[in-house]
């Protein structure tokens, strides 16, 4: 396996009452979007670097169809249950683990720029030629405000302002 199993997935709730989950609860298929379309990747002038050039970010990465004309009011990381774990693996081949952790979500105002991604360290062992994958960190917050670092068990380990 080239990564650690996923333990949390995101859900975005919109002001019109609809919601989008990272993985479709009926099929397990992942909602795809280039990560650079997120407003948190944009500089103060509304520009983003693409192919070595600064361009307006909506020109470089249009808003994915499932987010178009919608305002995110709530965003969070949620644990997988057994049923969704099975569906995601069958649909995508991704390893996911069900957990009993609590959901962690934030409320957003229209001007907030959400930050939501997962990250982990990869340690290369040059002498032995091995690779070690550190625990995944799930990040959630609002650019310029509080940012949460959440471990694989759903526990907030760090709050950055």
């Amino acid at each position: 396996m080239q990564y650690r199993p996923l333990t949390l997935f995101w859900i975005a709730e919109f002001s019109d009452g609809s919601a989008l989950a990272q993985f479709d609860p009926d099929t397990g298929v992942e909602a795809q979007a280039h990560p650079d379309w997120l407003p948190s990747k944009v500089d103060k002038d509304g520009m983003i670097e693409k192919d070595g050039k600064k361009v307006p970010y909506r020109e470089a990465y249009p808003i994915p169809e499932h987010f178009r004309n919608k305002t995110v009011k709530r965003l969070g990381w949620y644990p997988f249950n057994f049923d969704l774990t099975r569906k995601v693996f069958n649909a995508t081949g991704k390893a996911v683990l069900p957990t009993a952790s609590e959901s962690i979500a934030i409320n957003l105002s229209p001007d907030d720029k959400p930050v939501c991604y997962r990250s982990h360290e990869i340690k290369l062992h040059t002498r032995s030629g091995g690779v070690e994958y550190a625990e995944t960190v799930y990040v959630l917050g609002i650019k310029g405000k509080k940012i949460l670092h959440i471990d694989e068990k759903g526990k907030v380990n760090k709050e950055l302002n």
Side-chain angles (χ1 to χ4, degrees):
M1 179 181 332
Q2 296 298 313
Y3 61 91
R4 292 177 62 89
L6 302 178
T7 59
L8 300 170
F9 66 100
W10 57 259
I11 297 177
E13 298 174 43
F14 303 103
S15 57
D16 67 0
S18 64
L20 177 71
Q22 180 179 358
F23 296 97
D24 184 291
D26 296 323
T27 66
V29 173
E30 187 170 14
Q32 296 291 320
H34 193 286
D36 285 340
W37 76 268
L38 285 170
S40 61
K41 302 278 186 167
V42 179
D43 71 15
K44 61 180 174 44
D45 299 318
M47 305 292 275
I48 192 166
E49 191 167 319
K50 183 177 183 184
D51 302 326
K53 296 185 284 188
K54 289 272 189 172
V55 295
Y57 88 109
R58 288 297 179 224
E59 177 184 311
Y61 302 104
I63 295 175
E65 185 66 36
H66 38 265
F67 283 92
R68 213 165 272 154
N69 299 320
K70 296 190 177 220
T71 302
V72 179
K73 72 170 187 176
R74 188 170 163 85
L75 183 63
W77 289 108
Y78 295 81
F80 287 94
N81 62 30
F82 285 104
D83 186 50
L84 186 55
T85 297
R86 181 183 49 78
K87 289 176 182 175
V88 169
F89 182 75
N90 289 340
T92 68
K94 290 184 186 226
V96 296
L97 292 173
T99 65
S101 66
E102 296 291 320
S103 303
I104 298 175
I106 57 170
N107 293 316
L108 300 161
S109 63
D111 294 329
D112 288 337
K113 293 183 178 171
V115 177
C116 184
Y117 62 91
R118 64 178 178 265
S119 177
H120 66 270
E121 289 181 11
I122 299 173
K123 298 176 183 175
L124 300 176
H125 301 284
T126 54
R127 287 192 180 182
S128 67
V131 177
E132 178 184 343
Y133 296 92
E135 184 171 315
T136 302
V137 175
Y138 295 84
V139 180
L140 178 66
I142 299 169
K143 186 175 181 179
K145 298 181 182 176
K146 184 166 45 174
I147 306 287
L148 306 174
H149 287 212
I150 305 156
D151 69 17
E152 292 176 343
K153 295 176 184 79
K155 180 182 172 208
V156 175
N157 283 335
K158 191 188 304 182
E159 288 188 28
L160 304 172
N161 288 323

